[in-house]
Amino acid sequence: MPHHWMRHAACACIVLLALATLPATAKDAPEKSTLTMAVGGLPGLYYLPVLAAQQLGYFKDEGLDVTLEDFAGGSKALEAVVGGSADVGAGAYEHTLFMQAKGQRYRAFVLMGRAPQIVVAVTKGKAGSIKSLADFKGAKVGVSAPGSSTDLVLTVALRKAGVQRSDISAIGVGSGATVLSAVSNGQIDALSNVDPMMTKLQRAGEIKVLVDTRTVKGTQEVFGGTMPAATLYASEAFIQKNPRTTQALANAIVRADRWLQTVSDADLVKMVPKAYLLNDQALYVEAFHNVRDAYSPDGLMPSDGPATALRALSSFDTRLDAGKIDLNATYTNDFARKADAQAK
């Protein structure tokens, strides 16, 4: 065989080898395989599907290398996405409504939570004087970050009891161990926050629970419908430019959503990083069981979800004109539906 033929044959072999190592078909590969996701408090059970997708290698299986950037609350994570330091956000669906009201198009493309998982409670020391939400006037209330979902749930619940947001002082206390110190050093009278912290405080007898949206039933009592919670969202421009990347993210999250429906306590504890277990595996498992009902089983936005969220938000923020919001532009079920069909 002439020398140059051998060279061509060798080249062809190298090309074939390279193709063999690519995902099944190159055309299905994500447009952007390396990306950053901003998360509004990764240790919280609210974001467990993201944590599971990362720890169990589901993102990797989809050809993605995802860096999770953790923030004190959802509003801070949103700033990172809007500012461009993160490609995608993991946060509450309502961020997409707020952004549309500001003239910016963001869309939720896979659901992680169908209930906010947020608990409003009063500290043990104040339980005598603050017996119900109607007694919150003048109270110092700890939220993960002002403007985040913990603040929203608090505001909606208070308003139903005749108390305005301006009647209280909302103090950002994060959603990790910082919550415990805010309670123990008397910095706050009440709090609106997420698990596992709320189960830990409840178990220790440090708080009295007044509102509980960890279940679908408890959420309907507060909001009068299904209140969509944690989602993955991105700008409309990102989704249009990167449909395969968006699909890959949705595939990983739907797989994680499904895993959480049937996971054993032992497998859950094995997946969660030690630092998030608060040196108390039994507590973490108890908290997980308290919120398990809140996880979406299929990644799909419930039909009454967007309207329920808009109703709640326009009562939370008077600058939001419900009549001017196009709900269909704030979410899509296309990616989750396709991911769900593949997973079956």
Side-chain angles (χ1 to χ4, degrees):
M1 187 186 276
H3 185 66
H4 66 279
W5 277 109
M6 286 173 70
R7 201 166 63 235
H8 281 308
C11 284
C13 280
I14 290 165
V15 169
L16 285 171
L17 274 172
L19 284 173
T21 60
L22 283 173
T25 51
K27 70 174 172 54
D28 289 337
E31 301 87 352
K32 191 174 171 60
S33 57
T34 304
L35 58 141
T36 302
M37 185 186 295
V39 187
L42 199 54
L45 285 161
Y46 189 85
Y47 293 108
L48 199 55
V50 169
L51 184 67
Q54 182 77 310
Q55 296 285 105
L56 299 169
Y58 294 171
F59 290 132
K60 229 177 218 87
D61 289 349
E62 295 293 333
L64 299 172
D65 177 5
V66 179
T67 300
L68 300 179
E69 292 267 358
D70 198 21
F71 292 87
S75 49
K76 299 285 180 207
L78 175 65
E79 283 169 20
V81 179
V82 175
S85 61
D87 302 291
V88 177
Y93 162 67
E94 68 243 21
H95 295 314
T96 66
L97 301 179
F98 277 138
M99 293 314 291
Q100 195 188 113
K102 291 177 180 171
Q104 295 191 49
R105 296 284 169 137
Y106 284 79
R107 199 185 280 268
F109 59 87
V110 63
L111 187 73
M112 296 185 280
R114 55 181 180 170
Q117 296 189 21
I118 290 162
V119 176
V120 180
V122 58
T123 61
K124 185 176 65 180
K126 293 287 177 178
S129 54
I130 303 176
K131 290 187 164 60
S132 73
L133 293 171
D135 303 326
F136 267 54
K137 284 189 174 133
K140 296 195 290 286
V141 189
V143 295
S144 59
S148 290
S149 306
T150 49
D151 195 352
L152 166 76
V153 171
L154 171 70
T155 305
V156 171
L158 285 176
R159 188 156 290 161
K160 282 184 83 172
V163 179
Q164 298 307 308
R165 171 70 165 65
S166 53
D167 295 334
I168 63 150
S169 309
I171 298 164
V173 295
S175 56
T178 44
V179 177
L180 306 178
S181 55
V183 171
S184 62
N185 64 27
Q187 194 189 336
I188 51 177
D189 307 318
L191 68 163
S192 177
N193 224 291
V194 292
D195 268 329
M197 288 305 151
M198 298 309 274
T199 293
K200 188 174 175 72
L201 289 165
Q202 219 178 333
R203 218 175 170 204
E206 292 293 327
I207 56 170
K208 181 171 174 275
V209 172
L210 299 177
V211 173
D212 194 342
T213 66
R214 289 178 292 195
T215 63
V216 172
K217 186 176 175 290
T219 299
Q220 283 167 338
E221 284 167 16
V222 177
F223 292 101
T226 312
M227 180 69 178
T231 63
L232 287 195
Y233 65 87
S235 68
E236 190 62 58
F238 178 90
I239 294 171
Q240 286 185 1
K241 195 176 162 194
N242 303 287
R244 295 193 301 277
T245 306
T246 307
Q247 187 63 59
L249 287 163
N251 292 350
I253 292 297
V254 166
R255 200 174 157 196
D257 281 347
R258 284 169 166 268
W259 184 77
L260 289 170
Q261 298 299 311
T262 56
V263 66
S264 68
D265 296 349
D267 284 344
L268 177 74
V269 166
K270 213 183 295 172
M271 180 277 288
V272 177
K274 261 201 165 48
Y276 296 176
L277 293 171
L278 308 171
N279 301 318
D280 192 338
Q281 289 187 9
L283 164 81
Y284 191 91
V285 167
E286 185 183 332
F288 172 68
H289 285 286
N290 283 342
V291 302
R292 195 172 201 164
D293 186 45
Y295 296 112
S296 167
D298 51 19
L300 294 166
M301 176 69 72
S303 56
D304 68 332
T308 304
L310 182 56
R311 204 167 52 238
L313 280 188
S314 46
S315 78
F316 173 61
D317 191 331
T318 47
R319 292 167 304 180
L320 192 70
D321 183 350
K324 289 185 178 157
I325 297 290
D326 173 10
L327 285 177
N328 289 328
T330 60
Y331 75 98
T332 174
N333 270 332
D334 295 352
F335 298 100
R337 208 174 278 121
K338 199 170 167 190
D340 210 40
Q342 283 173 8
K344 284 187 171 123

